[in-house]
Amino acid sequence: MKEFLGYDQMMSEYYNKMSNHLLPLLSWEFYGEHHAELEIFKEDFSTLQKLTKNWKSTRNYYKELIEEQSVIVITNPNLEIVYASNNMHKMNGYSPEEVIGNSPKMFQGEGTCSSVSAKVRSAVDNQQPFEVSILNYKKDTTPYVCLIKGFPVYNKKGKLVNYIAFEKAA
C-alpha cells in the first residue's frame, strides 16, 4: 500500500486547492465526468511512477500532470515518443497510442518556425533544458501554439535515458 501514499497525498492536495470541494453533489453527471477524469489521471500517474523509478530527478511530474494539466510527452534518446499522457487528445486530437513510436516532429507543419525547431534541436543535442512556444498542428490540421518545457532525463548512473516535455496549448 506504500505505492499509493504519493497518489493519496497528491489527490489530497488537489482536492484542498479546489474552490468547490465543499459543495454538495447536485448531479451525478458532474460527478461522473470528474470521476472519469480522475481515473485517467490515476492511470497516467501509475505509468509515470513505473517510467520514472530509475530516473535521477527530483522534478514533480505529478504536479505538472494534475495541477498544471500539462500534456506529458517522454521520448527515448533517439527522440521517439515512448509515452504520452492521456490528456493529449484534448490538446491536439491524437491518442497516446497514435503518437508512440513517432517523433515529436509529427506535430509540426508548414507554418512551424524553423528557428524555433532549431533552438529545440540545439538544446536536445547539448542535453540542455528548453522552453519554447511553437506552432504545432492538431490531428485535423488546425494550427495551435504549444508552450513546451523540455528536459533531458538521466538514470541514477548519470546516463541520458529520456527527454521529457510538459506541453500546453496557448
Side-chain angles (χ1 to χ4, degrees):
M1 296 310 262
K2 260 186 163 178
E3 62 270 7
F4 293 111
L5 182 61
Y7 176 77
D8 288 341
Q9 290 172 337
M10 175 197 59
M11 292 311 296
S12 174
E13 290 176 23
Y14 173 76
Y15 282 120
N16 286 335
K17 290 181 182 177
M18 291 177 60
S19 61
N20 64 348
H21 72 281
L22 296 176
L23 294 177
L25 180 62
L26 299 175
S27 168
W28 283 106
E29 182 179 339
F30 294 135
Y31 171 79
E33 287 176 15
H34 184 67
H35 182 71
E37 204 169 297
L38 285 177
E39 285 299 314
I40 291 170
F41 285 138
K42 183 179 173 184
E43 181 183 323
D44 283 331
F45 178 82
S46 176
T47 304
L48 278 171
Q49 258 188 328
K50 291 173 189 169
L51 287 171
T52 62
K53 71 179 178 184
N54 293 319
W55 288 3
K56 179 184 175 184
S57 178
T58 58
R59 181 167 294 282
N60 187 348
Y61 305 106
Y62 317 108
K63 179 180 183 227
E64 289 285 344
L65 180 66
I66 301 293
E67 289 179 25
E68 303 296 326
Q69 296 192 6
S70 296
V71 170
I72 298 178
V73 176
I74 300 174
T75 68
N76 63 21
N78 298 324
L79 298 183
E80 294 170 340
I81 298 171
V82 296
Y83 170 80
S85 57
N86 285 298
N87 58 351
M88 171 174 277
H89 190 268
K90 284 183 184 178
M91 182 173 73
N92 62 22
Y94 287 99
S95 71
E97 294 79 20
E98 291 177 290
V99 302
I100 291 175
N102 291 303
S103 165
K105 287 187 177 192
M106 73 179 282
F107 306 115
Q108 298 177 9
E110 183 180 319
T112 303
C113 179
S114 59
S115 65
V116 175
S117 293
K119 180 179 177 181
V120 172
R121 170 52 64 190
S122 176
V124 166
D125 288 345
N126 294 306
Q127 298 180 10
Q128 297 293 316
F130 63 89
E131 188 169 341
V132 297
S133 292
I134 192 166
L135 184 67
N136 277 347
Y137 291 84
K138 296 181 181 187
K139 186 176 181 177
D140 68 3
T141 69
T142 305
Y144 69 101
V145 175
C146 188
L147 306 171
I148 305 172
K149 290 188 253 180
F151 304 89
V153 179
Y154 304 92
N155 66 15
K156 293 177 182 175
K157 294 180 180 179
K159 179 183 176 193
L160 178 70
V161 290
N162 294 104
Y163 288 95
I164 188 166
F166 303 103
E167 303 180 8
K168 285 182 138 182

